Amino acid sequence: MAESAVAAWDRDELGPVGEESREEYELRHAAAELAFIGLAISSNGVWDGEEVVVDLDVVQIAAALQAAR
C-alpha cells in the first residue's frame, strides 16, 4: 500500500480534468488522498524492510483506510 501511495504521488497529471461522472469524481478524489499519503511517506516515512512507519494525522489515517478498500 505504501508503494502504491508513493507511486500515486510521483505520478504526473496530463491535461485538465474534463466533465466526469460521480463515480469518476470519487475515484479521482480517492487517488488524490492516496497521493497525499504518498507525499507523507516520501517526506517522513521510515522504511524497515517491506514495512514503512510514518506519522499521519487523523484525516490522513481515515484517507488511508478508505484507500485500502
Side-chain angles (χ1 to χ4, degrees):
M1 186 65 162
E3 290 171 349
S4 295
V6 172
W9 174 249
D10 289 338
R11 180 175 171 245
D12 289 329
E13 289 294 322
L14 304 174
V17 175
E19 189 173 327
E20 59 190 4
S21 68
R22 177 70 179 174
E23 292 80 19
E24 290 169 327
Y25 169 83
E26 290 172 359
L27 182 60
R28 186 172 51 82
H29 183 73
E33 290 176 338
L34 184 63
F36 280 125
I37 293 167
L39 171 61
I41 292 168
S42 294
S43 300
N44 302 315
V46 177
W47 288 92
D48 182 17
E50 293 185 18
E51 296 183 4
V52 64
V53 176
V54 64
D55 286 330
L56 300 174
D57 66 31
V58 69
V59 173
Q60 291 171 316
I61 293 169
L65 292 172
Q66 188 70 19
R69 288 186 187 189

